[in-house]
Amino acid sequence: MRRVLPKPYIHTLLFTLVLLLGAMVMLGWLLKIPALVQVLPTLSPMQFNNALCFLIFGLCGIFYTLNWKTPYITFIVLGLLLSGLTFIQYPLGIDFGIDQLLMKEESVVQTAHPGRMAPNSAIGHFFAFLSFFLLSIGKPFYIRSAGWAGALVLGAGIVSLSGYIIDPTGGYSWGLYTQMALHTSLGFILSGAALGFTVIPKRMRIEKSRFNLWPYQVILMAMVFFIDLQIPQGVAVGLLYFIPVMVSWFFRDRKNILIVAGIANALIVLDIIFATESFEREAVIFNQVMSIINVWVAAAIFYYLKTSVQKRQEADTKFKLAVKGTTAGIWEWMDVSKDKEWWSPTFYELLGYKNEEIEASLQTFAGLLHPDDKEATFKLVDEHFEKKKPFVIEYRLKHKSGQYKWFLGSGQAIWDDDDQPKSMVGTIINIHPKKAAEQAERERAAQLEKKNKELEELTYITSHDLQEPVRTIASFSELLAQEYYDQLDEEGRQYLDFIKQSSERSQELIVDLLEYNRIGADSNMQEVNLEKLVEGVLTDLSILIQQKHAQINIDKLPLVKGHPTELRLLLQNLISNAIKFHQPGTSPEISLRTQKQNGYCTIAIKDNGIGIDQKHLDLIFVIFKRLHSRNDFEGTGIGLAHCKKIVEHHGGKIWVESTIGEGSTFYFTIPVSEA
Ligand code: ADP
């Protein structure tokens, strides 16, 4: 047998008390001490076998806690036999000879049935041992039944004890079948309680359920009902039903309050039917009606209170879950005239502290606030209090590691009737990663700008400085051609032509580069009439348009904000490309459409030209990138790079959609003028 050392459980103590009670009374019989057997000379005695049952019960309990199975089961059987056989002697009117088996002595006190315990005591013991027996089976249903049997034992004790409370002299009795010695009733209360402390935790553990109040509630109501039955009608005993209604407060489900009230109501009615009438009919009816009203009023009040308490608990639980679930730190400044605050666990966590490490107070907060953010933060608090300006601010707080971290702080005050701020609640959200990324981005952009500037300067200087030698090559090759062309043979002439062409092309490239560099130099935007601007462009391109028989269809164009020369270059590049890259054998058809949205207008220049392969759509905006040889189409490959730089300088975007063989549409966005 496995022995488990008992822990100091309350039920072990109760079992020991029951055991001692039994032993003490048995000793009283053996040593002939009436006070131990009877408590008071007027009260009924506890029979020897009754005391023996308590002793066996106490032992059973102790064996149970020690997990000594064999003696535990043996004693249960013994107890069941002793109590069960005693009880059936009453209805059968026979004597099994067990009453005086162990205690022949009758002379200690006078009793009605010498040596035989009262039937209700026998039932009480029987149920106590039955409870142990059911518990030993160990299955949920039996354990639950063991709980009910234990509750019955407790009930038997309480009912009997309440008889003594009504009439302490013991003269009061509920007939033969309810007579019980004073210490017997105490013994049953102890036994019932001990069974409760044993069975309930076990049941809750096995069934993973909560404490079931119902068995105890039933006993309580039975007790009130017995008292009500016994006491002549007309006395307002019905008011006692207030007690079970009050106890029903402890049910989790508030509906049970009303069920208990309903049962109490039914019991009051039953009492009217069964009890002997000793007062005037009017008084009886008045009292019972008052009892019913009492029950329902109490039930209604408890039900209402329970509803509001549960609602508050639910709200509290929700709030707690929200506090736990959110990544924001929550703070509450309970009274703005005091320094004390409350911070949620996440608040501490965000700052790297445990909550016992720092005190939640305004002073602590001020101490953690970055010196550069203090003034703005407290100024905003003042403005929030006085002018109800929203309190939302980014500030740095010192983390436990010593590093300052960025937070988004927000809060909301509660004002009293005189518009004075009373308290304030709010949150802090960790925005440090975002801020750090922004800072890194700013630094990167600044660096990029610096690099671009350097590059631009370099391009400018080199192209500017290149201009001179290229020009020299061009003019000397020109001179060479003028003076010595005829003297050169065919090959020499061809070489000279190559030099001339290349130097001209170099000059072109240098001019383009210098122009590209200049884009963005002017930062002053002005209102530009696109309509007029396009008119000018078309005039400039009129010869080309005529040559290619181009048809150009133009929407009404808006006023935009920008740099006129740059925008002119942009439109000129796009329109001339649309004409230039037309399909051989067809005349170009070009349209210019506009659409306004969110302060920007999108301009689409559509052609029916050769189109662009999807995979080159981005490439064509790169400087000096061309998709065709100079023999097919004239150009340096800088036009679209210009366009991109111009559009981006205006804060817009440029892109192209195209199908090869069908045509292309170039889109760009530009801010419209507010006027
Ligand atoms: P360039 O016109 O000097 O060649 P761009 O930068 O203007 O240089 O154009 C780059 C390339 O993009 C062109 O060589 C051409 O292949 C392609 N492209 C530009 N516009 C069009 C268009 N409307 N239709 C077809 N292809 C185009």
Side-chain angles (χ1 to χ4, degrees):
M1 188 186 296
R2 197 168 59 91
R3 289 184 193 190
V4 181
L5 276 181
K7 289 184 194 140
Y9 283 139
I10 193 157
H11 57 252
T12 316
L13 175 78
L14 292 169
F15 287 133
T16 314
L17 285 177
V18 177
L19 184 143
L20 289 176
L21 175 75
M24 197 180 69
V25 176
M26 283 164 76
L27 217 67
W29 282 99
L30 293 170
L31 303 178
K32 301 185 180 156
I33 308 168
L36 289 182
V37 176
Q38 213 173 358
V39 186
L40 290 172
T42 49
L43 301 182
S44 27
M46 190 200 291
Q47 296 298 349
F48 185 84
N49 280 356
N50 199 341
L52 183 61
C53 278
F54 280 127
L55 182 90
I56 298 174
F57 178 85
L59 282 171
C60 258
I62 288 165
F63 294 145
Y64 174 82
T65 53
L66 289 171
N67 206 11
W68 292 4
K69 284 197 180 121
T70 318
Y72 169 64
I73 299 289
T74 317
F75 277 74
I76 291 175
V77 174
L78 211 69
L80 281 172
L81 281 175
L82 187 57
S83 54
L85 290 177
T86 306
F87 178 72
I88 54 174
Q89 285 179 146
Y90 281 93
L92 299 179
I94 42 167
D95 188 347
F96 293 125
I98 49 171
D99 299 342
Q100 267 120 310
L101 192 69
L102 297 172
M103 173 47 60
K104 306 260 183 291
E105 194 68 61
E106 286 170 38
S107 55
V108 184
V109 287
Q110 292 300 313
T111 66
H113 286 274
R116 188 186 290 186
M117 65 176 127
N120 53 337
S121 302
I123 294 182
H125 285 302
F126 187 81
F127 276 101
F129 290 113
L130 185 70
S131 173
F132 264 145
F133 177 71
L134 293 168
L135 188 64
S136 71
I137 298 174
K139 294 211 174 80
F141 170 76
Y142 296 101
I143 295 176
R144 214 177 306 146
S145 312
W148 277 92
L152 224 78
V153 176
L154 180 75
I158 291 177
V159 167
S160 169
L161 190 72
S162 53
Y164 285 100
I165 293 166
I166 294 166
D167 184 359
T169 62
Y172 170 77
S173 98
W174 298 338
L176 183 69
Y177 289 92
T178 59
Q179 224 162 17
M180 194 186 275
L182 177 61
H183 40 357
T184 307
S185 42
L186 276 174
F188 281 133
I189 291 173
L190 288 176
S191 307
L195 285 168
F197 279 108
T198 314
V199 179
I200 294 166
K202 186 158 179 167
R203 206 206 90 219
M204 285 162 65
R205 208 172 47 242
I206 287 186
E207 294 187 2
K208 294 196 174 55
S209 59
R210 293 172 199 284
F211 169 65
N212 180 11
L213 186 62
W214 272 113
Y216 300 93
Q217 188 63 278
V218 168
I219 298 166
L220 194 63
M221 284 193 282
M223 188 189 93
V224 175
F225 181 62
F226 280 132
I227 296 173
D228 197 13
L229 267 185
Q230 284 307 123
I231 292 187
Q233 287 194 3
V235 177
V237 184
L239 293 179
L240 280 180
Y241 285 106
F242 176 76
I243 298 168
V245 173
M246 195 174 70
V247 170
S248 63
W249 170 267
F250 295 101
F251 280 115
R252 266 183 67 80
D253 188 350
R254 57 180 182 268
K255 269 205 313 276
N256 288 339
I257 299 176
L258 301 179
I259 295 175
V260 168
I263 298 172
N265 193 9
L267 292 177
I268 295 170
V269 174
L270 277 181
D271 183 66
I272 299 175
I273 301 166
F274 291 115
T276 44
E277 246 177 71
S278 355
F279 282 80
E280 281 169 28
R281 184 128 198 99
E282 292 75 28
V284 172
I285 291 173
F286 176 76
N287 271 321
Q288 300 299 45
V289 167
M290 285 313 287
S291 301
I292 291 172
I293 291 174
N294 161 52
V295 161
W296 284 111
V297 168
I301 291 172
F302 284 128
Y303 186 83
Y304 170 76
L305 282 179
K306 185 100 189 169
T307 310
S308 61
V309 166
Q310 277 180 342
K311 274 207 183 121
R312 256 201 36 203
Q313 279 171 346
E314 271 164 32
D316 266 12
T317 317
K318 274 188 206 151
F319 176 71
K320 278 192 191 129
L321 284 178
V323 167
K324 213 174 149 193
T326 176
T327 50
I330 298 173
W331 53 266
E332 185 186 2
W333 188 7
M334 289 80 83
D335 180 348
V336 296
S337 64
K338 293 188 183 126
D339 187 35
K340 194 140 178 51
E341 290 192 359
W342 171 83
W343 296 345
S344 74
T346 315
F347 191 105
Y348 287 97
E349 243 168 64
L350 287 172
L351 298 174
Y353 287 98
K354 294 202 174 67
N355 55 353
E356 61 276 2
E357 287 176 333
I358 44 170
E359 193 200 1
S361 70
L362 194 64
Q363 208 187 347
T364 317
F365 175 77
L368 295 174
L369 201 55
H370 193 286
D372 294 350
D373 299 335
K374 258 184 205 164
E375 199 190 319
T377 307
F378 287 113
K379 194 171 153 232
L380 192 60
V381 173
D382 288 343
E383 285 175 345
H384 179 63
F385 282 171
E386 281 156 29
K387 300 179 199 149
K388 304 197 173 166
K389 192 173 167 184
F391 180 76
V392 182
I393 186 169
E394 292 181 351
Y395 47 56
R396 282 156 291 180
L397 293 173
K398 200 173 187 173
H399 189 264
K400 194 185 174 186
S401 62
Q403 193 200 355
Y404 277 100
K405 293 205 164 178
W406 278 103
F407 290 95
L408 175 71
S410 60
Q412 181 66 53
I414 297 165
W415 290 269
D416 64 14
D417 296 340
D418 303 325
D419 242 10
Q420 290 304 311
K422 264 196 323 193
S423 59
M424 191 169 174
V425 283
T427 55
I428 58 165
I429 293 170
N430 181 9
I431 51 164
H432 196 74
K434 186 180 134 233
K435 275 280 188 185
E438 275 173 14
Q439 178 68 17
E441 179 57 32
R442 263 199 304 278
E443 280 166 15
R444 209 180 62 86
Q447 233 166 19
L448 202 71
E449 201 176 347
K450 200 173 144 220
K451 278 257 152 63
N452 273 346
K453 263 228 148 58
E454 282 170 8
L455 207 67
E456 267 174 21
E457 272 164 23
L458 186 78
T459 340
Y460 179 77
I461 291 165
T462 38
S463 40
H464 188 266
D465 290 1
L466 267 178
Q467 259 182 326
E468 202 39 49
V470 169
R471 201 178 294 140
T472 311
I473 296 170
S475 36
F476 276 96
S477 53
E478 186 60 44
L479 270 178
L480 202 65
Q482 279 173 15
E483 301 279 327
Y484 301 100
Y485 203 75
D486 295 338
Q487 294 169 30
L488 291 170
D489 62 6
E490 189 57 29
E491 211 170 352
R493 283 182 198 156
Q494 208 180 0
Y495 290 166
L496 194 60
D497 281 343
F498 282 152
I499 297 174
K500 265 175 71 184
Q501 277 171 20
S502 294
S503 59
E504 273 167 19
R505 189 160 153 67
S506 301
Q507 274 180 315
E508 244 176 73
L509 283 172
I510 290 168
V511 169
D512 278 352
L513 255 184
L514 286 172
E515 198 170 343
Y516 182 78
N517 244 20
R518 262 200 299 279
I519 296 170
D522 180 9
S523 58
N524 281 331
M525 299 262 204
Q526 49 178 282
E527 194 176 278
V528 181
N529 187 335
L530 272 193
E531 191 107 12
K532 284 224 172 87
L533 202 113
V534 171
E535 256 172 44
V537 170
L538 293 184
T539 314
D540 287 354
L541 295 175
S542 56
I543 296 173
L544 186 69
I545 295 172
Q546 269 172 23
Q547 271 176 1
K548 305 277 175 187
H549 304 290
Q551 286 178 21
I552 305 182
N553 194 323
I554 299 171
D555 259 4
K556 190 162 167 45
L557 296 172
L559 292 177
V560 297
K561 236 165 74 181
H563 308 279
T565 27
E566 289 183 6
L567 290 177
R568 191 186 169 98
L569 184 62
L570 168 70
L571 283 157
Q572 184 166 330
N573 277 337
L574 293 175
I575 296 172
S576 63
N577 273 354
I579 301 172
K580 185 162 70 176
F581 295 102
H582 73 96
Q583 308 246 36
T586 55
S587 48
E589 282 172 24
I590 299 160
S591 67
L592 242 93
R593 307 261 169 264
T594 65
Q595 198 184 5
K596 274 194 214 171
Q597 201 177 24
N598 301 334
Y600 273 78
C601 91
T602 307
I603 296 181
I605 296 143
K606 186 174 185 257
D607 63 47
N608 60 341
I610 55 170
I612 306 159
D613 196 333
Q614 292 293 317
K615 62 175 184 271
H616 297 135
L617 289 185
D618 287 331
L619 209 65
I620 55 171
F621 293 100
V622 176
I623 191 164
F624 298 138
K625 277 275 180 236
R626 309 198 69 229
L627 304 179
H628 306 277
S629 79
R630 283 164 60 81
N631 293 342
D632 296 336
F633 294 99
E634 268 291 310
T636 56
I638 205 169
L640 288 179
H642 270 147
C643 294
K644 187 165 165 22
K645 196 170 173 192
I646 292 168
V647 171
E648 282 173 1
H649 182 223
H650 283 79
K653 276 191 308 183
I654 184 165
W655 70 100
V656 60
E657 286 169 6
S658 183
T659 313
I660 216 138
E662 284 184 20
S664 317
T665 310
F666 280 82
Y667 298 89
F668 69 87
T669 57
I670 198 113
V672 285
S673 162
E674 276 111 40

